Amino acid sequence: MINYKNYPNIGQSWGIFGITVVAMLGASPIYYLKGFIGIGPAQLLTYLATMGLPILFAYTMRKNLSGLTKLEVKAPKLGVLGLVIIATLGFIMAVSFPLGDLIPMPDYIEEMFKSMMGDHGVFTFLTLAVAAPILEEVLFRGIVLDGLLKKYSPVKAILFSAFLFGIVHLNPWQFVPAFFVGIFMGWIYYRTRNLTYTIIIHFVNNSLAFTLSFLGFDETEELLGTPSSFAITVGIGVVVFVISAYLLKRIFSASKQPAYDKDLPIKEEIRA
């Protein structure tokens, strides 16, 4: 008889974080291929190598310890999907815009981020708006948060997974907005058990950032102009997000979602 236990717990999640950091360092030399293949392709290859190792590690551990081989990926409901997208846009206006300017960024760091955006070509878009939403959601919501929800309270699981998602960016300028959007995506995943919604949230967030950078708006002030415009934008975002989140909560409350089993064997296999 084999008892399969839920994975990961908080300690194991720190291990996944450590593997991710090691993968970042190990994959960084690939970026220097930019002189031969271009910035965009080199950036994409570096990112795929960076995320590939921790996902492979976490997925293998999850399979061996939990007996799970599938991720919670299902077709979205159109009504819920529409509200999720609207809520995401409201969240960006109400939270991401003001938090993005909360910690002043030194000029040399700002230039580094601009160079990381590559040439704003198709490969940069694939990295930021396609690969990142899929791979990061598989790791941080599909594996890490899904396992934590089976071992801890929803609040503890969502907050810790969001914190891990924030610090994996390894800089304070991305940590703050990533932490809060991680909470939002964690709540959506908890209430829907569907990775598709969080991938779409991530896609909307990153593709909007890519588009604004492509258009030359690298700072919020450049986009919104005056302080009054900034305040109006944030206010509209708050209203849009609160209303759409309230409607989502009502939809989720009306649906019957089975509870997560807490740290119990989820499968038993009898071998002769």
Side-chain angles (χ1 to χ4, degrees):
M1 179 180 295
I2 298 177
N3 289 333
Y4 290 101
K5 294 289 186 175
N6 295 317
Y7 171 90
N9 57 29
I10 287 179
Q12 292 163 335
S13 298
W14 278 117
I16 294 172
F17 168 77
I19 293 292
T20 305
V21 173
V22 170
M24 288 179 184
L25 297 174
S28 58
I30 300 176
Y31 185 69
Y32 292 101
L33 292 174
K34 64 183 181 180
F36 302 96
I37 62 177
I39 294 177
Q43 184 183 52
L44 178 58
L45 289 175
T46 303
Y47 181 79
L48 293 176
T50 296
M51 294 304 300
L53 179 60
I55 288 175
L56 178 62
F57 170 81
Y59 178 83
T60 301
M61 292 293 292
R62 179 177 184 257
K63 178 181 177 181
N64 292 339
L65 297 177
S66 300
L68 297 175
T69 59
K70 295 182 179 180
L71 297 169
E72 296 283 1
V73 180
K74 295 167 281 190
K77 297 179 180 179
L78 292 181
V80 174
L81 177 60
L83 282 174
V84 164
I85 293 174
I86 294 172
T88 302
L89 295 174
F91 182 91
I92 292 170
M93 295 166 63
V95 180
S96 298
F97 279 172
L99 288 181
D101 295 330
L102 187 63
I103 305 176
M105 184 181 295
D107 291 339
Y108 75 95
I109 295 292
E110 185 176 347
E111 289 301 318
M112 182 183 70
F113 276 110
K114 289 181 180 179
S115 67
M116 289 174 61
M117 289 296 292
D119 54 3
H120 294 102
V122 64
F123 286 100
T124 303
F125 179 81
L126 288 174
T127 302
L128 296 177
V130 180
I134 294 174
L135 298 183
E136 291 178 17
E137 290 312 303
V138 165
L139 183 61
F140 289 101
R141 253 62 63 178
I143 296 177
V144 172
L145 178 57
D146 189 74
L148 294 175
L149 285 168
K150 295 169 182 172
K151 301 182 75 67
Y152 309 103
S153 69
V155 172
K156 185 174 183 179
I158 291 171
L159 286 178
F160 181 75
S161 65
F163 175 77
L164 214 61
F165 178 63
I167 63 171
V168 82
H169 291 82
L170 301 181
N171 67 80
W173 303 280
Q174 288 179 295
F175 167 79
V176 177
F179 172 71
F180 283 99
V181 77
I183 293 175
F184 174 51
M185 291 190 293
W187 176 68
I188 292 293
Y189 183 81
Y190 166 64
R191 297 308 301 262
T192 64
R193 295 200 199 179
N194 190 350
L195 207 56
T196 304
Y197 292 116
T198 64
I199 290 174
I200 291 172
I201 293 171
H202 208 141
F203 167 79
V204 171
N205 183 80
N206 286 17
S207 60
L208 179 60
F210 174 86
T211 302
L212 293 177
S213 178
F214 178 79
L215 295 175
F217 299 111
D218 294 305
E219 296 182 2
T220 305
E221 291 87 348
E222 296 176 354
L223 174 64
L224 301 179
T226 64
S228 59
S229 298
F230 180 85
I232 292 172
T233 300
V234 172
I236 293 174
V238 169
V239 173
V240 170
F241 178 74
V242 168
I243 292 176
S244 53
Y246 171 75
L247 294 175
L248 284 169
K249 186 177 183 298
R250 290 195 60 177
I251 293 173
F252 297 154
S253 298
S255 63
K256 295 181 179 180
Q257 183 72 285
Y260 280 93
D261 293 329
K262 298 297 181 183
D263 200 19
L264 296 172
I266 60 173
K267 179 179 179 183
E268 292 185 350
E269 180 179 326
I270 300 176
R271 293 181 177 177

